[in-house]
Amino acid sequence: MSVTHGKMGLSLTQEILSHLGLANKTAAWGTLGTLRTFLSFNVDKDVQRLLKAIAGQGVDRFAILDVLTNRSREQRQLISRAFHERTQQDLLKSLQAALSGNLERIVVALLQPAAQLDARELRTALKGPGSAEDVALEILATRTPPQLQECLAVYKHNFQVDAAEDIKSETRGILRDLLLALAKGGREAYTGIIDYNLAAQDVQALKQAEGPSTERTWVLVFTQRNPEHLIRVLNQYQWYTGHELEKTVRARFHGAACVALLNLALVIRNTPLYFADKLHQALQETEPNYQALMRILISRSETDLLSIRAEFRKKFGKSLYSSLQDAVKGDCRSALLALCRAEDL
């Protein structure tokens, strides 16, 4: 009797957690990140150690990384401010002068506030060479509303233009509409109330939006509804049609629009798996995509990198830590491994 009750209790717990957003799970169970607040934090000792690391005969890269990859972002900002107060020098500029290459880039990313890093990455994605949709969608679709709001404010301050204007000028069609809608931050908040009627209406709307000139329906549903509601829509769509919504997306859309919608669907279904796929792709290139590796590992290190590691191991049969060890070369290898933290057996 007790065994049966235990199984039922576990099942119920899993059911409840499956309907909670990642942020709620984190709040309830503790951080799912690999990097946590350093409990023995002493800002003066860290400042002295960094000073010694860059002022000696040779640059002590180990000491620099040992400090920066074992402190939370908030603690790194405190170190940066204390360094300036004690030395009248800018820590970021001092480290840039002492380092080079990918190691310099990752140290810069570690010392920047999250909104600064996101704004810079978004700007590079929209105005730099290559396609904009991958990084732009990642930032616009996976940041919390406050994070996104701060990122867009920094974007406007730093580049003297709204991100929406750059999206309009650099993208086209439904991809542009998706990114603009995400940038508006109009996604509904989860209230804890399940609206079965709205879910059914959205399923019917998507079923009827398989012809031409129906893109607006897809944009509305994918960018305005809260993730918990959308998971229900995706599940009900499969129940009614006998196939996943992603099959319809592949048949209905092409190119960048298709990729963007499929990625949005994956973010909704399983955000850690979405990032695991992106990390795997970055590692599979002839030369690893260091910028993607840095951005993802740093941005998720205090959020859900443990979950990302688990999804990576589950899907690809090899741990993220081992994959980084095998693919990444050079000075930044130890920094990325430190953020990843540990092997998954």
Side-chain angles (χ1 to χ4, degrees):
M1 179 67 180
S2 60
V3 173
T4 304
H5 178 75
K7 290 182 178 179
M8 290 178 64
L10 179 61
S11 176
L12 178 59
T13 300
Q14 291 171 334
E15 172 68 15
I16 292 171
L17 286 176
S18 72
H19 292 298
L20 290 175
L22 182 59
N24 291 333
K25 292 181 191 177
T26 303
W29 299 103
T31 178
L32 295 174
T34 57
L35 186 59
R36 308 182 184 193
T37 300
F38 187 60
L39 298 180
S40 300
F41 179 56
N42 184 311
V43 68
D44 291 318
K45 286 185 178 179
D46 285 345
V47 167
Q48 289 302 318
R49 192 175 182 198
L50 290 173
L51 266 173
K52 184 178 179 181
I54 59 180
Q57 288 288 331
V59 178
D60 189 343
R61 293 174 174 80
F62 173 82
I64 294 170
L65 292 179
D66 189 47
V67 172
L68 298 183
T69 61
N70 285 290
R71 306 296 183 268
S72 68
R73 188 179 292 277
E74 182 180 357
Q75 289 175 328
R76 295 196 297 269
Q77 294 303 303
L78 291 173
I79 293 169
S80 186
R81 288 197 291 270
F83 188 95
H84 186 268
E85 290 172 1
R86 287 154 179 73
T87 67
Q88 304 305 308
Q89 298 176 41
D90 184 275
L91 176 59
L92 181 57
K93 291 180 180 178
S94 297
L95 289 171
Q96 283 181 294
L99 304 170
S100 61
N102 286 324
L103 183 58
E104 177 191 348
R105 291 164 62 194
I106 196 168
V107 165
V108 169
L110 282 165
L111 283 173
Q112 282 187 315
Q116 292 278 357
L117 177 59
D118 280 346
R120 188 191 74 191
E121 290 287 295
L122 182 58
R123 174 73 171 186
T124 301
L126 291 173
K127 304 300 285 188
S131 56
E133 63 270 10
D134 184 39
V135 177
L137 186 82
E138 174 192 321
I139 293 171
L140 296 175
T142 65
R143 302 312 189 243
T144 65
Q147 288 172 339
L148 181 57
Q149 199 171 38
E150 188 177 2
C151 165
L152 296 178
V154 170
Y155 191 104
K156 184 173 184 178
H157 177 269
N158 287 358
F159 308 115
Q160 299 300 301
V161 64
D162 283 324
E165 294 303 315
D166 282 342
I167 291 171
K168 289 176 184 176
S169 66
E170 301 297 330
T171 59
R172 298 288 181 273
I174 187 174
L175 173 62
R176 178 185 59 191
D177 295 340
L178 281 168
L179 295 179
L180 284 173
L182 289 169
K184 287 181 180 178
R187 193 179 292 282
E188 300 160 352
Y190 181 55
T191 63
I193 299 173
I194 299 173
D195 192 333
Y196 292 97
N197 288 332
L198 183 59
Q201 290 172 18
D202 285 344
V203 169
Q204 289 302 317
L206 291 173
K207 285 174 61 181
Q208 295 168 10
E210 297 178 6
S213 303
T214 56
E215 292 87 353
R216 184 177 179 82
T217 299
W218 291 85
V219 173
L220 172 66
V221 173
F222 269 74
T223 64
Q224 301 302 302
R225 305 294 190 243
N226 70 71
E228 288 77 10
H229 173 88
L230 284 171
I231 289 173
R232 188 170 295 278
V233 169
L234 292 171
N235 291 338
Q236 287 190 13
Y237 186 95
Q238 182 173 355
W239 189 82
Y240 280 118
T241 64
H243 61 79
E244 292 185 340
L245 183 67
E246 287 85 343
K247 180 179 179 180
T248 301
V249 170
R250 292 187 183 93
R252 170 72 176 78
F253 300 97
H254 304 282
C258 179
V259 173
L261 284 167
L262 290 175
N263 281 330
L264 264 179
L266 184 53
V267 168
I268 292 160
R269 286 188 188 275
N270 189 336
T271 301
L273 179 57
Y274 164 79
F275 280 113
D277 279 348
K278 293 202 71 174
L279 287 168
H280 186 259
Q281 181 181 354
L283 288 166
Q284 292 305 301
E285 298 180 18
T286 305
E287 174 77 6
N289 186 337
Y290 287 101
Q291 196 61 32
L293 294 173
M294 292 176 197
R295 182 183 64 254
I296 295 171
L297 289 175
I298 291 173
S299 67
R300 311 311 292 189
S301 62
E302 295 182 52
T303 308
D304 57 355
L305 191 48
L306 287 174
S307 298
I308 294 168
R309 277 171 32 185
E311 293 293 349
F312 192 101
R313 181 74 175 81
K314 180 180 177 181
K315 181 169 183 178
F316 302 111
K318 184 178 181 179
S319 73
L320 176 59
Y321 194 89
S322 291
S323 299
L324 290 167
Q325 278 185 315
D326 292 344
V328 176
K329 310 298 179 187
D331 286 339
C332 79
R333 182 172 181 256
S334 56
L336 295 177
L337 289 173
L339 289 169
C340 182
R341 248 342 172 244
E343 182 66 88
D344 294 301
L345 300 177

